[in-house]
């Protein structure tokens, strides 16, 4: 919750807390509504006032993280916090919201850290992707069984899928690798010629960007900053379902993140086309469809 490269990770671990430093001059005790969207509406303008160089995307990310730490996590919840070296500290929330006015990270929750440190290499592909965003807070509740196993010192199954819409877990795992590959090789793709993945202080925050209807696989912005792209990899779902999902994400981006002069485009990437997705896309002109191909080659030495 401090971000994987935070200089304050050791301080938080030694001090038994999780924290954030966004909007330092405001005690949030009387502003913690039950709905994070209401919280964002109140504090995004304040964040942008204090950080005029930032975008609404950055503001939404920061305020969502602030609400989650201050209000979203409950006493008894288990959290995983990165140390910046490829490991995660697991711990249990043991106290309510605290405000330390003079601290660098004033918005805090007390934590009882467990003795077990979890290496990122021990995690399943799905958990790695859900917990790997820089400077964000991710809800990993659906991986509770795996996390409990890791804390106890046992290894998880090689492929873990807790999403009931995933038809083939092995296919799902492959396509999660493809998501990471796409992000790492973005500049050499067709999409990379038109869009940049959202970054915050040099770190990509556009992968698995949180929204109120679930994480967006990739959030990108056009080179001229006039268009925001919601990019979704089709992961074993019935093909026409992904169209509605992308439209929900696009609605969120239009209402919560886009500036008044920015439009929103949807992009679906899948292994192959079919009749259902073609029909759905025929009446959705602001959604593009791409297929990917996997090339595997053996070379004799």
């Amino acid at each position: 919750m401090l971000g994987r490269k935070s200089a304050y990770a050791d301080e938080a671990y030694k001090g038994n807390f999780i924290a954030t430093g966004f909007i330092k001059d405001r005690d949030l005790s009387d502003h913690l509504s039950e709905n994070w969207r209401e919280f964002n509406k109140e504090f995004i303008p304040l964040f942008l006032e204090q950080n005029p160089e930032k975008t609404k995307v950055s503001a939404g990310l920061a305020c969502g993280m602030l609400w989650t730490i201050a209000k979203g996590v409950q006493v008894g919840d288990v959290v995983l916090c990165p140390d910046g070296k490829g490991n995660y500290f697991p711990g249990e929330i043991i106290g309510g919201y605290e405000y330390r006015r003079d601290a660098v990270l004033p918005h805090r929750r007390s934590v009882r850290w467990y003795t077990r440190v979890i290496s990122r290499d021990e995690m399943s592909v799905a958990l790695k992707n859900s917990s790997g965003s820089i400077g964000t807070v991710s809800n990993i509740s659906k991986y509770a069984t795996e996390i409990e196993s890791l804390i106890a010192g046992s290894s998880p199954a090689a492929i873990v899928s807790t999403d009931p819409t995933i038809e083939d877990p092995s296919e799902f795992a492959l396509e999660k690798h493809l998501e990471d590959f796409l992000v790492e090789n973005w500049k050499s793709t067709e999409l990379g010629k038109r869009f940049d993945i959202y970054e915050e202080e040099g770190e990509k925050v556009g992968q698995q960007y949180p929204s109120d209807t679930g994480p967006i696989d990739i959030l990108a912005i056009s080179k001229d900053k006039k268009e925001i792209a919601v990019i979704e990899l089709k992961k074993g779902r019935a093909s026409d379902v992904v169209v509605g999902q992308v439209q929900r994400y696009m609605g969120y981006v239009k209402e919560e993140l886009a500036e008044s002069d920015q439009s929103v485009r949807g992009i679906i990437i899948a292994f192959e086309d079919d009749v259902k997705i073609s029909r759905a896309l025929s009446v959705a002109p602001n959604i593009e469809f791409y297929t990917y191909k996997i090339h595997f080659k053996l070379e004799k030495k």
Side-chain angles (χ1 to χ4, degrees):
M1 289 186 177
L2 295 167
R4 285 195 277 132
K5 296 187 178 180
S6 170
Y8 304 104
D10 288 340
E11 177 188 345
Y13 183 67
K14 293 175 182 177
N16 299 305
F17 65 85
I18 58 172
T20 181
F22 297 125
I23 310 180
K24 297 179 180 180
D25 59 350
R26 183 70 62 91
D27 185 342
L28 305 178
S29 299
D30 297 326
H31 300 271
L32 296 175
S33 61
E34 295 295 329
N35 188 314
W36 70 271
R37 292 187 67 179
E38 294 177 3
F39 180 87
N40 275 13
K41 285 182 179 179
E42 179 179 0
F43 283 95
I44 282 178
L46 180 58
F47 178 88
L48 292 172
E49 180 182 324
Q50 295 180 355
N51 303 274
E53 77 284 2
K54 300 292 186 181
T55 64
K56 283 186 178 180
V57 171
S58 298
L61 200 63
C63 291
M65 179 179 183
L66 180 57
W67 181 88
T68 300
I69 288 179
K71 178 70 175 179
V73 292
Q74 305 296 311
V75 172
D77 284 351
V78 173
V79 294
L80 295 180
C81 297
D83 68 353
K85 303 173 185 176
N87 300 309
Y88 288 82
F89 301 128
E92 180 182 343
I93 301 293
I94 60 173
Y97 168 74
E98 300 178 46
Y99 177 63
R100 303 286 182 88
R101 182 180 299 275
D102 297 325
V104 176
L105 302 171
H107 307 293
R108 302 186 175 197
R109 300 291 295 276
S110 295
V111 175
R112 179 190 298 113
W113 300 111
Y114 299 148
T115 56
R116 174 87 157 89
V117 176
I118 298 172
S119 169
R120 187 169 172 80
D121 293 336
E122 299 177 78
M123 296 177 172
S124 67
V125 173
L127 180 55
K128 282 182 182 179
N129 283 300
S130 294
S131 61
S133 298
I134 301 290
T136 64
V137 176
S138 301
N139 186 340
I140 51 176
S141 300
K142 62 184 178 180
Y143 304 106
T145 300
E146 178 182 348
I147 292 168
E148 289 173 0
S149 177
L150 290 170
I151 291 173
S154 303
S155 298
I159 298 175
V160 177
S161 175
T162 58
D163 186 340
T165 66
I166 301 303
E167 298 164 359
D168 183 345
S170 61
E171 177 185 348
F172 172 73
L174 173 62
E175 293 187 1
K176 288 305 294 181
H177 283 299
L178 287 170
E179 178 187 314
D180 292 333
F181 181 84
L182 179 62
V183 170
E184 292 300 319
N185 297 275
W186 183 260
K187 292 183 180 179
S188 63
T189 68
E190 285 298 313
L191 292 175
K193 298 175 183 178
R194 298 163 52 199
F195 297 95
D196 294 317
I197 298 174
Y198 257 102
E199 292 189 353
E200 178 71 16
E201 297 180 357
E203 301 287 357
K204 289 185 176 68
V205 299
Q207 186 178 14
Q208 293 297 305
Y209 188 93
S211 79
D212 56 3
T213 58
I216 298 169
D217 283 345
I218 299 173
L219 188 68
I221 187 167
S222 62
K223 301 289 186 180
D224 62 5
K225 312 299 183 186
K226 295 296 184 182
E227 189 171 54
I228 298 178
V230 170
I231 301 167
E232 186 70 10
L233 282 168
K234 179 179 170 292
K235 296 181 279 289
R237 304 178 185 89
S239 60
D240 51 349
V241 173
V242 74
V243 177
Q245 182 180 23
V246 168
Q247 289 174 326
R248 290 194 297 274
Y249 291 154
M250 291 170 65
Y252 170 81
V253 170
K254 181 180 179 180
E255 293 178 14
E256 304 292 339
L257 304 180
E259 305 291 346
S260 58
D261 61 343
Q262 290 177 322
S263 59
V264 181
R265 176 165 296 277
I267 297 172
I268 297 171
I269 302 174
F271 184 70
E272 59 186 6
D273 196 357
D274 62 24
V275 173
K276 289 190 291 184
I277 200 167
S278 296
R279 297 292 192 203
L281 291 173
S282 68
V283 290
N286 56 348
I287 299 179
E288 299 177 18
F289 182 82
Y290 287 79
T291 58
Y292 62 83
K293 297 186 183 300
I294 300 172
H295 298 281
F296 183 80
K297 183 179 181 181
L298 291 176
E299 295 183 354
K300 186 177 181 179
K301 298 295 185 181

